[in-house]
Amino acid sequence: QTPLKKTNALIAQMGITFLNAYVPSALCCPSRASILTGKYPHNHHVVNNTLEGNCSSKLWQKIQEPYTFPALLKTMCGYQTFFAGKYLNEYGAEDAGGVGHVPPGWSFWYALEKNSKYYNYTLSVNGKARRHGENYSVDYLTDVLANMSLDFLEYKSNFEPFFMMISTPAPHSPWTAAPQYMKSFQNVSAPRNSNFNIHGKNKHWLIRQAKTPMTNSSIQFLDDAYRKRWQTLLSVDDLVEKLVKKLEVNGELDNTYIFYTSDNGFHTGQFSLPIDKRQLYEFDIKVPLLVRGPGIKPNQTNKMLVANIDLGPTILDIAGYDLNKTQMDGMSLLPLLRGDKNLTWRSDFLVEYQGEGYNGSDPTCPGLGPGVTHCFPDCVCEDSYNNTYACVRTLSTSWDLQYCEFDDREVFVEVYNLTADPHQINNIAKTIDQEILEKMNYRLMMLQSCSGATCRTPGVFDPGYRFDPRLMFSNHGVRARRFSARSL
């Protein structure tokens, strides 16, 4: 059972499904910034969903926006470009130019002011504010995005290539389904994997503080959220179907690449965390990635390690742009899409996150004090200032590993062998071979300071990897931290 039956039939079965697609940061704004720039968060400097965290800030607009892949597509490759939906969480903020700001690179711009909504929102229509109310037939955002996209396909120029980015807030909260789908999936509940509703022993303190077992009200809350998310995706499924049909009617389907992905995963009850993202585990950093298009054989799967920083380079590569002229950290997926054999590919990539907290206190949650945030039912807090970490996620022929370090007082380390333990229940940091730990720690320092081509150097389990232990000890005492240490 899936809410995306049509998407599956029209994209996955007609093309390729990437089984190991990830985001370098499991949070909307840093992840979306990575898609647009092709860069890791430490290079685009968007660290969270706030203006202070560089989300759609003046600084972002000045330093990163002119070099996003849509800007290059439009100015260097002659594409007509179309954006509709949620851009960055703080887009439209008054301190950053309001909805009058249209980022460079977009010929047609229909962007949601601020964060996810389904009704009662404002769109920036090429820089002019347009208010929407709560009448389903004219205001339901997923359908509005579908209709604007169909209009673009109807009226665009046929003399220039085109690029569209349609960014539905669904299935983000507040999970308002279209009226015809509000009764769907009545018997669906969140998956009960082996890490559901168990205590995250041997994990960092934020996971250890979750109440186990969860209360009935927490479980009901997360099952309800899971079901509502699925209901909102039925409208996304309709949108995909309408667009594919329109491309077919226009005679453009066979020479158009279609990518379907998400900006982060989500957890519902794993390690007794009710609902959120922004943790380092698979359920938060792994995303779907489906692609169909010219030269892609149908019904394929691919196990290579890919990340959302690869989307920009891939699309520029398709457009014929020289990737050496960019500052992007990712790699073009085009050789994988075409099924090239004898390809050397990455064996690891970086995950990094800077925790958010706020300095007030929550009267409903007295035990936890300042510095924590996103405290859901029963006072289980999902984030804090020192939920700040960086990981190397490794996937090679012989290893399926994750190595993570926290920027907290204990410099907590988590290591998982996903071959033996796919649900990441056992932290093996204390038992794994010391030499592997040292190499992973060194690799993490390399990746945390990488930029462009140095982000694509061989990982620990590649034959070309070079490990120089002398470098480790020269700066080990003063760990090369990319993150600003904030103590609680």
Side-chain angles (χ1 to χ4, degrees):
Q1 207 176 3
T2 165
L4 294 164
K5 287 198 169 100
K6 302 172 192 175
T7 302
N8 207 25
L10 294 169
I11 307 181
Q13 287 168 24
M14 299 305 291
I16 190 166
T17 300
F18 285 92
L19 300 173
N20 293 299
Y22 290 88
V23 294
S25 199
L27 187 61
C28 332
C29 207
S31 181
R32 285 159 183 267
S34 284
I35 291 173
L36 290 161
T37 60
K39 293 178 184 178
Y40 282 123
H42 69 260
N43 288 330
H44 61 56
H45 306 294
V46 177
V47 295
N48 59 36
N49 288 345
T50 65
L51 268 182
E52 300 72 45
N54 205 24
C55 180
S56 213
S57 68
K58 282 272 196 297
L59 192 69
W60 154 267
Q61 292 170 16
K62 186 176 153 194
I63 295 177
Q64 302 296 339
E65 266 185 355
Y67 305 102
T68 60
F69 80 86
L72 295 172
L73 274 182
K74 183 168 184 265
T75 55
M76 309 307 257
C77 308
Y79 272 65
Q80 47 191 329
T81 54
F82 169 93
F83 181 89
K86 175 179 167 179
Y87 179 59
L88 299 172
N89 302 50
E90 284 294 324
Y91 171 75
E94 275 179 35
D95 296 355
V99 293
H101 170 69
V102 178
W106 299 104
S107 330
F108 301 89
W109 178 252
Y110 302 94
L112 180 66
E113 178 189 33
K114 300 281 183 100
N115 204 357
S116 308
K117 287 194 167 176
Y118 295 79
Y119 294 110
N120 296 315
Y121 52 86
T122 297
L123 289 178
S124 168
V125 178
N126 300 317
K128 302 266 188 297
R130 182 194 288 169
R131 292 272 322 139
H132 276 265
E134 48 194 74
N135 174 348
Y136 169 70
S137 59
V138 291
D139 297 317
Y140 186 67
L141 183 58
T142 311
D143 294 353
V144 169
L145 299 179
N147 292 336
M148 291 191 300
S149 303
L150 295 172
D151 281 351
F152 169 74
L153 287 175
E154 180 69 29
Y155 299 113
K156 69 177 172 55
S157 152
N158 289 329
F159 302 106
E160 298 167 310
F162 69 93
F163 169 75
M164 305 174 73
M165 190 168 185
I166 303 155
S167 177
T168 66
H172 198 288
S173 62
W175 314 306
T176 314
Q180 70 271 30
Y181 295 137
M182 282 182 168
K183 295 276 190 292
S184 305
F185 305 122
Q186 288 301 312
N187 57 350
V188 166
S189 52
R192 304 304 203 246
N193 291 337
S194 54
N195 55 10
F196 180 83
N197 200 13
I198 63 168
H199 185 248
K201 60 181 194 308
N202 303 328
K203 291 184 166 44
H204 64 106
W205 75 270
L206 193 64
I207 307 289
R208 296 195 303 263
Q209 59 88 29
K211 295 181 174 65
T212 312
M214 291 182 286
T215 60
N216 288 345
S217 59
S218 269
I219 291 175
Q220 198 176 343
F221 175 72
L222 66 88
D223 276 339
D224 194 40
Y226 190 85
R227 192 176 309 115
K228 286 179 173 162
R229 286 164 63 79
W230 271 34
Q231 291 167 357
T232 67
L233 283 171
L234 289 169
S235 295
V236 177
D237 206 35
D238 292 342
L239 175 151
V240 169
E241 180 187 42
K242 287 174 197 161
L243 283 170
V244 171
K245 281 189 167 160
K246 181 69 178 163
L247 286 167
E248 194 167 23
V249 168
N250 286 3
E252 294 175 322
L253 184 58
D254 291 342
N255 62 357
T256 303
Y257 287 90
I258 304 174
F259 293 74
Y260 181 94
T261 189
S262 175
D263 55 355
N264 49 255
F266 204 68
H267 56 255
T268 39
Q270 286 88 349
F271 304 127
S272 302
L273 297 174
I275 60 160
D276 197 43
K277 49 219 170 194
R278 68 187 100 215
Q279 301 300 335
L280 55 92
Y281 308 104
E282 293 285 285
F283 43 75
D284 285 358
I285 61 172
K286 202 166 189 176
V287 290
L289 177 58
L290 319 172
V291 193
R292 70 171 284 173
I296 303 178
K297 296 192 180 75
N299 243 328
Q300 293 187 78
T301 56
N302 185 297
K303 291 186 172 143
M304 294 298 196
L305 188 58
V306 301
N308 72 3
I309 53 172
D310 300 334
L311 295 170
T314 304
I315 291 163
L316 289 172
D317 198 10
I318 289 169
Y321 188 73
D322 178 1
L323 295 177
N324 294 324
K325 293 183 181 163
T326 73
Q327 300 296 303
M328 293 182 177
D329 302 333
M331 304 165 65
S332 170
L333 303 176
L334 196 51
L336 299 183
L337 298 177
R338 290 187 176 144
D340 290 6
K341 298 282 175 276
N342 304 329
L343 199 61
T344 52
W345 196 253
R346 69 159 72 87
S347 64
D348 64 13
F349 81 103
L350 175 69
V351 181
E352 48 190 352
Y353 178 65
Q354 186 164 314
E356 284 186 89
Y358 80 128
N359 284 327
S361 55
D362 183 348
T364 62
C365 204
L368 282 151
V372 295
T373 181
H374 290 78
C375 302
F376 278 109
D378 310 310
C379 184
V380 176
C381 297
E382 297 270 7
D383 204 6
S384 69
Y385 284 136
N386 67 1
N387 180 37
T388 293
Y389 57 80
C391 307
V392 181
R393 179 72 180 88
T394 295
L395 188 61
S396 68
T397 43
S398 46
W399 292 89
D400 191 352
L401 267 189
Q402 188 176 17
Y403 169 91
C404 300
E405 286 182 18
F406 277 80
D407 193 5
D408 58 12
R409 279 194 210 122
E410 34 183 1
V411 191
F412 197 77
V413 175
E414 294 188 33
V415 183
Y416 297 98
N417 172 359
L418 285 100
T419 311
D421 177 24
H423 293 126
Q424 296 171 295
I425 291 164
N426 303 309
N427 176 7
I428 56 170
K430 300 244 188 330
T431 56
I432 194 170
D433 180 15
Q434 190 62 30
E435 190 191 354
I436 291 184
L437 271 186
E438 283 177 13
K439 284 184 172 174
M440 295 301 274
N441 164 274
Y442 175 62
R443 180 66 179 153
L444 182 61
M445 289 186 344
M446 297 275 298
L447 284 173
Q448 280 185 286
S449 54
C450 78
S451 175
T454 56
C455 298
R456 304 188 288 272
T457 54
V460 170
F461 298 104
D462 288 332
Y465 178 74
R466 294 282 170 269
F467 172 59
D468 182 352
R470 287 168 312 185
L471 290 170
M472 298 231 358
F473 298 109
S474 63
N475 59 14
H476 208 78
V478 291
R479 255 315 298 263
R481 280 278 177 223
R482 303 286 309 173
F483 292 116
S484 55
R486 281 166 159 164
S487 56
L488 266 182

